[in-house]
Amino acid sequence: MKFTNGYWSLKDEMKAVYAVEYASHRVNGKEVTVYLPSSHIADRGNCLNLPMLTLTLSSPMEGVIKVSAVHHAGALYKGPFAEIQNENPEVVIDDTEEALIYKSGSLKAVLDKTPGAYKLAFYEGDTLLTESSFRNLAYMQNTKTGKNYMLEQLAIDVDEYIYGLGERFTPFVKNGQVVEMWNEDGGTASEIAYKNIPFYITNKGYGVLVDHEGAAKRGDFCVYIIFRI
């Protein structure tokens, strides 16, 4: 699903609610729920009529971090969902003035608390793997059709290559491709595939599973899981 004309300009029918900054969080056992307003909050008056995104960090197994982002947490979605084995690993949650840090094994997610500068970065030890930052996480509304979507974009590095996404008949390296995750019978000489799998790996040694099997990823939430490989 493409929401822009070119790189910066939104399509005329699209309205975006971007995660702008960290506001607060709460810890529930081994999960952390983070509240991300769509504008900088300088005083109480800025809290009125302000859309907000909610981010939840959890870990189904050591070295794996699950990220769930929602706009309206009460919206019902029955799935289907991929089965995830939950091994209830030990996690470490560090809350400092500068950042909120969620660790599972050697993998950690670091949420920047700088006002007006949302950034969620993933590290293996001290090595940056990928991150979501300025205008990467958003709730998108199509004002013409009334359909709603969640948008998430994870950065890739120079000379980083993407592989996977199931059975494909296009170039093996997926950089620069638009890959639609929907099983169709289109033959072996097209971009349509019979066995799509919303999981990719990169040559930096990590993988990402998008745990949402709906067409075009429509909905008020998104879930992705970072694996250290």
Side-chain angles (χ1 to χ4, degrees):
M1 177 62 60
K2 186 173 175 57
F3 304 106
T4 60
N5 290 318
Y7 189 72
W8 291 110
S9 178
L10 280 177
K11 292 182 177 180
D12 291 340
E13 68 271 21
M14 300 308 303
K15 179 181 178 182
V17 175
Y18 294 105
V20 168
E21 67 181 15
Y22 163 92
S24 64
H25 74 275
R26 60 181 175 86
V27 178
N28 181 17
K30 296 181 180 181
E31 287 189 353
V32 177
T33 301
V34 184
Y35 302 104
L36 306 170
S38 57
S39 180
H40 173 59
I41 298 179
D43 53 46
R44 293 179 61 185
N46 298 134
C47 298
L48 298 174
N49 301 317
L50 180 66
M52 181 181 70
L53 302 181
T54 304
L55 201 69
T56 301
L57 302 176
S58 60
S59 179
M61 61 186 69
E62 184 175 317
V64 177
I65 295 178
K66 178 180 178 180
V67 182
S68 303
V70 300
H71 175 51
H72 285 300
L76 179 63
Y77 181 71
K78 296 182 179 180
F81 297 99
E83 286 191 27
I84 299 174
Q85 181 177 341
N86 194 333
E87 298 180 354
N88 193 30
E90 292 299 321
V91 301
V92 178
I93 302 169
D94 292 331
D95 183 15
T96 71
E97 290 186 6
E98 295 79 21
L100 177 65
I101 304 170
Y102 187 92
K103 300 178 183 177
S104 176
S106 58
L107 183 67
K108 65 181 177 182
V110 180
L111 181 65
D112 195 334
K113 289 185 176 181
T114 304
Y118 165 74
K119 183 170 71 172
L120 178 65
F122 299 90
Y123 292 84
E124 169 69 13
D126 294 327
T127 301
L128 176 64
L129 299 177
T130 185
E131 67 180 32
S132 169
S133 57
F134 178 70
R135 291 197 170 187
N136 288 160
L137 177 62
Y139 172 67
M140 292 289 188
Q141 299 172 292
N142 188 312
T143 58
K144 289 185 177 179
T145 66
K147 294 181 179 180
N148 305 317
Y149 304 87
M150 288 297 295
L151 168 70
E152 174 64 302
Q153 300 177 89
L154 296 175
I156 61 173
D157 207 348
V158 177
D159 293 330
E160 182 175 0
Y161 299 104
I162 305 296
Y163 308 95
L165 301 174
E167 177 189 55
R168 311 233 65 85
F169 309 110
T170 54
F172 186 62
V173 177
K174 299 302 180 286
N175 296 50
Q177 297 185 44
V178 176
V179 180
E180 294 190 8
M181 293 279 102
W182 197 249
N183 294 345
E184 293 185 80
D185 185 359
T188 58
S190 72
E191 296 180 352
I192 295 174
Y194 304 98
K195 300 174 184 177
N196 294 276
I197 301 174
F199 175 72
Y200 68 83
I201 62 174
T202 88
N203 59 341
K204 287 186 71 173
Y206 69 94
V208 177
L209 170 68
V210 180
D211 187 18
H212 192 311
E213 285 68 45
K217 303 296 180 288
R218 179 187 175 190
D220 293 344
F221 73 98
C222 69
V223 180
Y224 63 93
I225 303 172
I226 301 286
F227 297 80
R228 183 68 174 106
I229 297 174

